[in-house]
Structures are given as C-alpha cells and as structure tokens.
Amino acid sequence: MEIEILKMFEHTGRSGSMDISEEDDGSVNMLTSASYKNQIIKKIRIESIHLSTIESHGKYEFYMCDLISKALLIDTKTTGNTVNDLSKEGLTHLYITDFGKEFLRFIRNS
C-alpha cells in the first residue's frame, strides 16, 4: 500500500535546476505538493472492507506518518509555516522527497 501511495506523489516535489549558484537569479526551482487523501482512504476501504471509517482514517494516518518517518514524503504542514497556516490540516498536502524518487526508481529497476 505504501508503494502505491508513493507512486501517487511521484510527480510532486522539487523540480527545476538547483545547480546554479544562489547568487545567480537564473536559478529555477519549484516545489509541487498534492493531496490524495480521499483517494488513499478510498483505496484503504476497498482493500480492507472490514474497517470502519474511523479505522480507515487511522490507517491513512499510519501510512502517511510511516512514509514521512522514512524520509520518502514531506508534509507541507511541517515546513515554512506562518500564522496563516496554523488552521491548515496536517497529513493532507504532501510531496515526495528526492530520496523517495530514487527509491521508486530502485524498485522499478529491481
């Protein structure tokens, strides 16, 4: 399930050129995050039909926290927060790390 979740976030994360020095304004770096919460919970409910709604939300939280703890995903709620971000829900908008992208490449090449 976690690999399927990671695949959903494959096209998020950092993109662009980070090889240009910081002094040069030509550096292009974008960060894209996404929310697949509803799709993931639906997938959990399909694979584990015996789970209640609360239990499937708990499984969602477990999978997200596990992927974050393995440095494969990052929760945008934990980075660069301002006062305006305090009301936002955690474990919703995430993005894949470079390590996560390398991990997916490794799995596909094995």
Side-chain angles (χ1 to χ4, degrees):
M1 177 62 92
E2 289 185 2
I3 292 173
E4 291 301 314
I5 292 170
L6 203 55
K7 287 178 183 177
M8 290 180 180
F9 289 95
E10 186 171 12
H11 299 292
T12 64
R14 298 191 191 288
S15 62
S17 175
M18 293 176 41
D19 296 331
I20 302 171
S21 68
E22 290 183 23
E23 295 85 34
D24 190 351
D25 290 337
S27 177
V28 177
N29 179 16
M30 294 181 63
L31 184 62
T32 307
S33 64
S35 178
Y36 296 107
K37 183 177 181 176
N38 294 334
Q39 293 96 313
I40 295 168
I41 291 173
K42 183 177 178 182
K43 193 175 203 55
I44 291 169
R45 297 292 307 256
I46 290 169
E47 291 195 10
S48 303
I49 57 173
H50 64 281
L51 293 179
S52 69
T53 301
I54 292 174
E55 291 170 325
S56 45
H57 279 264
K59 275 268 203 213
Y60 169 81
E61 290 174 355
F62 169 77
Y63 290 136
M64 294 299 104
C65 289
D66 196 41
L67 289 167
I68 291 167
S69 73
K70 292 174 181 169
L72 299 171
L73 287 180
I74 293 179
D75 185 356
T76 59
K77 176 71 173 151
T78 61
T79 60
N81 283 331
T82 65
V83 174
N84 295 332
D85 297 325
L86 293 177
S87 63
K88 292 183 181 175
E89 183 181 353
L91 301 178
T92 302
H93 284 84
L94 299 103
Y95 61 90
I96 194 169
T97 62
D98 290 338
F99 178 63
K101 290 178 181 181
E102 281 298 317
F103 182 68
L104 282 177
R105 275 193 281 274
F106 173 76
I107 291 171
R108 287 186 176 125
N109 292 333
S110 294

